[in-house]
Amino acid sequence: MLKEECKELTQRLKQLRESQHHNKYSPGELFRLIEDLRKEVVSQRSEIVTLREETVTLRNEVLSQRAETLTLREEAAAIRTQMDRMRTEGDKIKIAMEQKIRSEVDRVVEERMRTEVDR
């Protein structure tokens, strides 16, 4: 097994040497290119992580705004309900005042009629 691996590695080395003659880059240039590519990959990964973090932040902001919108809608509904109650109470007060005024007017009219009848 070890012999087979040695033969395989030797064959790969020969292929690499032969391909170097056809390659337009020297081993040093290839090494630098590979390092540059590794740096670029690291940079891209870092950017992806940053974008993911920004996405999470934006999603959280959207969720927060949705919750705030729901809260505002609930508050608006509560205010509408309170306004309806106040209108109803206002209507009741208005009716009671009108009845009281009518009663007072009726009493005053009746009193005057008695006064005139007595004269």
Side-chain angles (χ1 to χ4, degrees):
M1 187 152 202
L2 189 57
K3 281 185 178 182
E4 290 175 19
E5 287 180 21
C6 285
K7 284 182 184 179
E8 191 176 313
L9 288 173
T10 305
Q11 188 176 358
R12 283 188 190 172
L13 184 59
K14 285 180 185 177
Q15 288 174 346
L16 284 173
R17 284 184 183 151
E18 289 174 10
S19 67
Q20 271 187 345
H21 294 293
H22 302 292
N23 199 344
K24 62 181 179 179
Y25 298 106
S26 70
E29 289 174 321
L30 285 174
F31 181 77
R32 274 186 253 114
L33 285 172
I34 290 170
E35 285 302 309
D36 289 346
L37 288 173
R38 283 184 185 155
K39 288 176 186 175
E40 183 65 26
V41 167
V42 168
S43 172
Q44 293 293 327
R45 285 181 181 161
S46 175
E47 191 173 333
I48 288 170
V49 168
T50 302
L51 290 172
R52 285 183 180 157
E53 290 170 352
E54 288 175 8
T55 301
V56 168
T57 301
L58 289 173
R59 283 182 184 156
N60 289 340
E61 285 180 23
V62 167
L63 291 176
S64 175
Q65 288 177 357
R66 284 182 183 167
E68 188 176 332
T69 300
L70 288 176
T71 301
L72 291 173
R73 285 182 182 164
E74 290 169 354
E75 288 175 8
I79 290 170
R80 279 190 224 105
T81 302
Q82 187 177 8
M83 287 174 58
D84 289 345
R85 277 193 217 126
M86 291 172 80
R87 277 192 202 112
T88 303
E89 288 177 22
D91 290 345
K92 288 178 183 177
I93 291 170
K94 181 181 172 186
I95 291 169
M97 291 299 289
E98 287 173 353
Q99 288 175 348
K100 189 173 183 179
I101 291 169
R102 281 190 196 122
S103 297
E104 187 66 23
V105 168
D106 289 347
R107 186 188 65 76
V108 169
V109 168
E110 193 175 308
E111 192 177 295
R112 283 188 183 168
M113 286 176 71
R114 271 193 225 141
T115 307
E116 286 188 20
V117 167
D118 286 346
R119 280 189 201 172

